[in-house]
């Protein structure tokens, strides 16, 4: 993925310099002009240059002489997913993202990205990976490679593809290796921070102390999952359901090889011949309103299942999102081996 700063050019730059940058961008040829503070001033394309030259503007003039002064943009704090969808479906392919001070903080390219979701993503990556020893004796489980890249990077890249650019990674066992791998996230056009657990805090306890989330929606996912989940559809389903928390659930079918009798007071009232029952298991991916974090006890071992149980008990709405796509929990050696084969064939 291209660094979003490749699309930026400063005010006062020459049109000639802009042409060089546009040429390097090739089919993604659009520049966003920023002032010395990084604030969006305008946009510039090959067409703008051509029209300027036809009007007699010289190639050594500054870019401000030919820019579009009111470009469309996405405001990071708004999180208006419907506007994102409208831009995408209206063929607005490349758009700048600005913060509350109108500074450019990212550039969205819908040729490479599917959406721009208003979500903070938390990846739980602190486990020991006991069942995958000896592979995890010197390498943290999230950094074990599936195909050409680590398990956790498959998750990060999938989330980035849906426009999530604010990441928090909860680490403990060999966490310094994970931090050294992703650093601050700038190589992927994201911001990455780390939550260090001094003691095991379960599958969600580590986020109770965090106060710097940027959005009203928090996604929490295990780092050892391989999936092609459509995160935009998951988000839209969550918003539509008006739930407080939504969990990705995995359909699990049980085939009974015999006729099953239904009885009341020892009387057979009906039977089903070799029925199939569908149950839904926890997929380890959760989307919740930010306010829900207040219900997670601080500095205590607390699992996501504990949170769901607490929410249900206190009358909050917990929503199930059945996944129809690919999902694999890489917990055992046979799962790890299966993932190596699946990654060759599953479309992500």
């Amino acid at each position: 993925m291209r660094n979003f700063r490749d699309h930026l050019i400063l005010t006062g730059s020459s049109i000639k310099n802009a042409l060089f940058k546009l040429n390097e961008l090739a089919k993604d040829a659009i520049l966003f002009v920023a002032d010395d503070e990084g604030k969006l001033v305008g946009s510039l394309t090959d067409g703008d240059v051509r029209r300027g030259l036809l009007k007699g503007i010289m190639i050594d003039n500054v870019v401000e002489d030919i820019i579009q002064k009111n470009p469309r943009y996405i405001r990071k704090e708004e999180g208006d997913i419907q506007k994102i969808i409208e831009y995408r479906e209206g063929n607005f392919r490349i758009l700048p993202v600005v913060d509350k001070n109108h500074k450019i903080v990212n550039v969205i390219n819908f040729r490479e990205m599917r959406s721009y979701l208003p979500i903070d993503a938390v990846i739980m990556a602190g486990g020991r990976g006991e069942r995958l020893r000896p592979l995890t004796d010197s390498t943290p489980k999230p950094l074990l490679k599936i195909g050409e890249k680590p398990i956790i990077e498959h998750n990060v890249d999938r989330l980035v593809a849906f426009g999530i650019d604010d990441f928090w990674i909860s680490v403990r066992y060999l966490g310094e290796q994970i931090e050294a791998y992703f650093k601050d996230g700038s190589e992927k056009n994201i911001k990455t921070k780390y939550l260090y657990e001094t003691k095991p805090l379960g599958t969600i306890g580590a986020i109770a102390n965090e106060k710097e989330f940027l959005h009203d929606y928090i996604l929490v996912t295990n780092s050892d999952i391989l999936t092609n989940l459509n995160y935009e559809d998951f988000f839209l389903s969550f918003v539509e359901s008006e739930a407080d928390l939504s969990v990705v659930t995995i359909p699990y079918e049980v085939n009974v090889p015999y006729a099953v009798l239904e009885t009341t007071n020892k009387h057979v009232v009906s039977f089903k011949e070799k029925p199939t029952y569908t149950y839904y298991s926890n997929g380890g991916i959760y989307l919740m309103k930010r306010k829900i974090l207040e219900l997670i006890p601080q500095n205590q071992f607390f699992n996501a299942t504990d949170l769901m149980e607490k929410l249900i008990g206190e009358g909050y709405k917990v929503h199930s999102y059945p996944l129809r796509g690919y999902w694999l929990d890489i917990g055992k050696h046979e799962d790890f081996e299966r993932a190596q084969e699946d990654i060759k064939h599953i479309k992500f």
Side-chain angles (χ1 to χ4, degrees), residues 197-242:
E197 298 181 37
T198 56
K199 62 180 181 180
L201 294 174
T203 56
I204 207 168
I207 69 175
N209 298 327
E210 187 49 55
K211 306 299 182 185
E212 297 183 8
F213 290 121
L214 304 177
H215 299 95
D216 291 330
Y217 302 99
I218 311 297
L219 183 138
V220 179
T221 179
N222 296 341
S223 63
D224 54 359
I225 293 170
L226 194 61
T227 182
N228 61 1
L229 170 65
N230 183 324
Y231 286 97
E232 182 181 86
D233 189 69
F234 181 33
F235 178 76
L236 291 172
S237 176
F238 172 66
V239 173
E240 183 180 353
S241 73
E242 297 183 344

Side-chain angles (χ1 to χ4, degrees), residues 43-255:
S43 64
L44 182 65
T45 65
D46 285 321
D48 296 320
V49 175
R50 183 169 58 253
R51 286 184 287 272
L53 294 177
L54 289 173
K55 290 179 181 179
I57 294 176
M58 305 302 292
I59 199 170
D60 290 324
N61 281 40
V62 294
V63 291
E64 293 96 303
D65 293 339
I66 58 171
I67 62 171
Q68 298 291 327
K69 295 183 179 180
N70 295 296
R72 287 179 171 81
Y73 58 85
I74 298 168
R75 189 170 295 281
K76 187 173 180 68
E77 288 79 9
E78 287 180 356
D80 188 345
I81 186 61
Q82 293 303 326
K83 182 183 288 187
I84 301 299
I85 293 172
E86 288 174 11
Y87 281 149
R88 185 182 65 208
E89 294 181 350
N91 292 321
F92 292 98
R93 190 162 47 88
I94 302 176
L95 294 161
V97 179
V98 301
D99 65 11
K100 60 184 178 181
N101 297 314
H102 213 61
K103 292 183 179 180
I104 303 173
V105 294
N106 208 342
V107 172
I108 302 308
N109 185 341
F110 287 125
R111 187 176 61 80
E112 298 176 338
M113 299 169 64
R114 303 186 183 195
S115 188
Y116 191 68
L117 299 178
I119 292 173
D120 284 283
V122 181
I123 301 179
M124 309 304 292
R128 173 67 175 80
E130 290 283 354
R131 291 179 296 171
L132 280 171
R133 296 183 67 183
L135 297 177
T136 55
D137 284 345
S138 59
T139 302
K141 179 180 175 181
L143 288 184
L144 294 179
K145 285 191 174 182
I146 303 296
E148 297 181 352
K149 57 187 179 184
I151 302 169
I152 188 174
E153 190 170 8
H154 285 287
N155 285 290
V156 169
D157 289 348
R158 183 74 180 174
L159 292 164
V160 169
F162 284 89
I164 297 174
D165 53 14
D166 295 297
F167 282 79
W168 310 77
I169 303 179
S170 176
V171 293
R172 186 169 181 262
Y173 174 69
L174 299 180
E176 65 281 358
Q177 292 188 30
I178 296 173
E179 184 170 1
Y181 189 86
F182 287 106
K183 303 180 179 66
D184 64 357
S186 58
E187 293 181 4
K188 291 183 178 291
N189 291 335
I190 63 177
K191 291 182 179 179
T192 303
K193 295 184 179 180
Y194 299 87
L195 305 173
Y196 268 89
E197 298 181 37
T198 56
K199 62 180 181 180
L201 294 174
T203 56
I204 207 168
I207 69 175
N209 298 327
E210 187 49 55
K211 306 299 182 185
E212 297 183 8
F213 290 121
L214 304 177
H215 299 95
D216 291 330
Y217 302 99
I218 311 297
L219 183 138
V220 179
T221 179
N222 296 341
S223 63
D224 54 359
I225 293 170
L226 194 61
T227 182
N228 61 1
L229 170 65
N230 183 324
Y231 286 97
E232 182 181 86
D233 189 69
F234 181 33
F235 178 76
L236 291 172
S237 176
F238 172 66
V239 173
E240 183 180 353
S241 73
E242 297 183 344
D244 297 292
L245 181 146
S246 184
V247 55
V248 172
T249 52
I250 312 303
Y252 183 78
E253 292 187 348
V254 176
N255 298 308

Side-chain angles (χ1 to χ4, degrees), residues 34-48:
D35 63 18
D36 291 338
E37 295 181 346
K39 295 180 180 180
L40 177 65
V41 174
S43 64
L44 182 65
T45 65
D46 285 321
D48 296 320

